[in-house]
Amino acid sequence: MTQKNRFWCTVLLISLACNGESLATRRRPAVRSRNDELEPMPEPTKDDEFDWMLIKTIFSRSPGNAVVSTFSAKYLLNMLYEGTSAGTQTQQELSGHLGRNTGLNPNPPIIVKTMGAIQTNPDQLISASRIFADEQVSVTQKFTSTVSMIYNSSVENVNFQQGQQAAQTINHWVAEGTRGLIPELVTPQSITGSILLLANTIYFKGLWTHVFSEAATATQPFRTSDGRTVQVPFMKQIADHYFSESPQLNAKVLRLPYVNGRFSMILILPNKGSNMNQLQTVLSADSIHEAIKSLEETEVKLELPRFKIDHSTSLKEDLQQLGINRIFQENAELGGISRGGQLPVKVSDVFQKTVIVVDETGSTASSASGSSLVFTIATEPERFVADRPFLFFIEEESTGTVLFAGKVEDPSL
């Protein structure tokens, strides 16, 4: 038997500059657990709605394979919120999308509570944040203390005028935070003109609860979104999984849990006659909620291709499309971050790089937890054959937090 390692990591960078030239406790809508215990299933929140609006926006303009972390994006946007001036349009725009309370006694941001819930196993998930500030910039003590106490972030001074050295410092921190999967995020040219960089990294490593047998893996055809047929390795198993047919999504939905029961991957495969474009038009917090709510445990014959996605993107256009505009303008009210500069601080770009590797490595001598390749019940199992473009996301089970979401349109790339 061979266990399947699933590595995810992402790094998100918010670049703040004096000009526009540089780069820069809720419960999940849960299904029954593996022990058939039912969990509360509240309606989707504004936080969920933001996730799926951002995912749809990114995927709609990203041809081919793509993967993003809305969690990482929201984490840095919440940090940025702490630097907004009270009662300003900038604060209102961010609070409206992040579900922040702007009153006199604001509650801790949802995402901070979520981070406390999910970051309990450092061998499985690690997240880190850091603010890189130019040596000529004075970051306010209040902002430094806030991001330290609430977000466990720190401020590091660099000299952005010495681009090579600054880029090396930032990339070294990114490489450490992603266990080497993302060795480089910025170049000296990309950070020219920056005065502040807000960065976040997430590293996730998961092993399936139901391991795949390497002997069952076989090369099969996959029909890409542009009509080509490519031959790729498919991993196979027959096991009990939570599965449903979603009329609203016009797709099959499958839940694959990871060991320790904290995380799972949800696969969404458009039915034949449908496609990824049609699926993306009906994606929403409500439709995903209903699809997960309808999952039932049954025996499933699963065929899933190996794939690797290395995706880099600027989120600036996507955030602007969702109505977050002020932070990118000359009149951005971010006076809580830095004071005393000759020009007001604004966000020049929001850049994210995410890598997912899905492959089979290592081995185990135990067959008790492995999947069987023979039928265990008299009737034919449900079939989930991902031989055409599909969508996936990984969530933390107790909170329903979407850590990563992606689409596979050609697993041979």
Side-chain angles (χ1 to χ4, degrees), residues 276-297:
M276 284 293 293
N277 289 334
Q278 292 174 313
L279 173 61
Q280 286 170 205
T281 61
V282 295
L283 278 181
S284 68
D286 288 328
S287 63
I288 294 297
H289 173 86
E290 290 302 318
I292 295 179
K293 183 179 177 180
S294 64
L295 291 172
E296 293 183 354
E297 190 171 27

Side-chain angles (χ1 to χ4, degrees), residues 54-124:
L54 183 57
I55 290 167
K56 286 179 63 173
T57 304
I58 295 171
F59 287 177
S60 66
R61 66 165 180 81
S62 303
N65 301 334
V67 60
V68 298
S69 173
T70 55
F71 180 83
S72 182
K74 289 188 299 185
Y75 202 80
L76 283 195
L77 287 174
N78 272 277
M79 287 176 59
L80 197 64
Y81 174 89
E82 305 297 345
T84 60
S85 302
T88 60
Q89 183 176 335
T90 302
Q91 187 183 73
Q92 291 172 1
E93 281 187 359
L94 291 175
S95 65
H97 288 85
L98 301 174
R100 296 293 298 265
N101 176 9
T102 59
L104 295 177
N105 297 302
N107 296 322
I110 294 174
I111 201 162
V112 172
K113 298 179 182 178
T114 301
M115 179 63 80
I118 67 178
Q119 201 166 356
T120 57
N121 185 353
D123 293 330
Q124 193 169 35

Side-chain angles (χ1 to χ4, degrees), residues 2-8 34 123-124 204-212 256-265 359-364 394:
T2 304
Q3 284 189 324
K4 178 179 179 184
N5 286 333
R6 189 168 291 252
F7 299 91
W8 298 71
R34 286 180 287 133
D123 293 330
Q124 193 169 35
F204 174 81
K205 174 184 177 181
L207 298 175
W208 298 125
T209 297
H210 299 288
V211 298
F212 287 80
L256 294 178
Y258 293 103
V259 294
N260 299 328
R262 294 301 303 274
F263 302 91
S264 66
M265 171 174 280
D359 58 12
E360 295 169 342
T361 58
S363 62
T364 175
I394 183 170

Side-chain angles (χ1 to χ4, degrees), residues 104-380:
L104 295 177
N105 297 302
N107 296 322
I110 294 174
I111 201 162
V112 172
K113 298 179 182 178
T114 301
M115 179 63 80
I118 67 178
Q119 201 166 356
T120 57
N121 185 353
D123 293 330
Q124 193 169 35
L125 184 143
I126 298 176
S127 178
S129 299
R130 183 162 296 182
I131 299 168
F132 296 94
D134 189 84
E135 294 175 343
Q136 303 301 315
V137 174
S138 176
V139 180
T140 65
Q141 182 60 45
K142 180 180 179 181
F143 184 73
T144 301
S145 299
T146 299
V147 296
S148 175
M149 290 187 298
I150 299 179
Y151 300 90
N152 195 30
S153 181
S154 60
V155 177
E156 180 174 348
N157 290 112
V158 295
N159 186 350
F160 284 112
Q161 303 308 311
Q162 298 181 2
Q164 188 71 37
Q165 183 177 349
Q168 184 177 1
T169 299
I170 295 168
N171 288 331
H172 177 72
W173 179 81
V174 168
E176 284 190 337
T178 61
R179 299 298 185 265
L181 280 182
I182 299 180
E184 180 177 299
L185 176 69
V186 301
T187 64
Q189 295 75 24
S190 70
I191 58 177
T192 300
S194 296
I195 60 171
L196 283 172
L197 295 178
L198 280 68
N200 172 259
T201 63
I202 297 179
Y203 173 84
F204 174 81
K205 174 184 177 181
L207 298 175
W208 298 125
T209 297
H210 299 288
V211 298
F212 287 80
S213 169
E214 186 178 7
T217 299
T219 300
Q220 294 180 184
F222 183 100
R223 187 77 168 175
T224 66
S225 56
D226 58 6
R228 295 178 296 110
T229 298
V230 295
Q231 300 291 325
V232 295
F234 275 74
M235 299 179 300
K236 304 180 181 183
Q237 65 173 221
I238 297 175
D240 288 341
H241 290 295
Y242 283 91
F243 170 89
S244 72
E245 291 271 4
S246 171
Q248 191 171 358
L249 298 177
N250 192 17
K252 299 178 187 295
V253 183
L254 183 71
R255 170 181 172 266
L256 294 178
Y258 293 103
V259 294
N260 299 328
R262 294 301 303 274
F263 302 91
S264 66
M265 171 174 280
I266 306 295
L267 300 170
I268 304 177
L269 178 67
N271 290 326
K272 292 182 178 180
S274 183
N275 55 48
M276 284 293 293
N277 289 334
Q278 292 174 313
L279 173 61
Q280 286 170 205
T281 61
V282 295
L283 278 181
S284 68
D286 288 328
S287 63
I288 294 297
H289 173 86
E290 290 302 318
I292 295 179
K293 183 179 177 180
S294 64
L295 291 172
E296 293 183 354
E297 190 171 27
T298 186
E299 189 172 56
V300 178
K301 182 179 181 182
L302 169 63
E303 298 181 13
L304 181 68
R306 297 176 185 166
F307 60 90
K308 174 182 179 179
I309 303 176
D310 186 332
H311 187 244
S312 301
T313 186
S314 166
L315 302 183
K316 179 178 179 178
E317 179 182 333
D318 306 295
L319 293 173
Q320 289 176 320
Q321 189 171 332
L322 296 181
I324 299 178
N325 295 292
R326 192 80 162 190
I327 60 174
F328 301 106
Q329 299 172 357
E330 297 292 342
N331 56 352
E333 299 99 344
L334 297 171
I337 296 179
S338 175
R339 297 186 185 276
Q342 295 181 351
L343 293 174
V345 175
K346 70 170 185 177
V347 175
S348 56
D349 210 339
V350 179
F351 186 76
Q352 185 175 91
K353 183 177 179 66
T354 307
V355 177
I356 172 178
V357 181
V358 177
D359 58 12
E360 295 169 342
T361 58
S363 62
T364 175
S366 172
S367 61
S369 62
S371 58
S372 173
L373 292 179
V374 299
F375 298 150
T376 58
I377 56 177
T379 58
E380 186 82 5

Side-chain angles (χ1 to χ4, degrees), residues 28-33 37-39 41 242 255 291-296 397:
R28 68 187 293 266
V31 299
R32 291 178 299 167
S33 70
E37 296 176 352
L38 293 174
E39 297 182 2
M41 302 172 69
Y242 283 91
R255 170 181 172 266
I292 295 179
K293 183 179 177 180
S294 64
L295 291 172
E296 293 183 354
E397 291 274 296

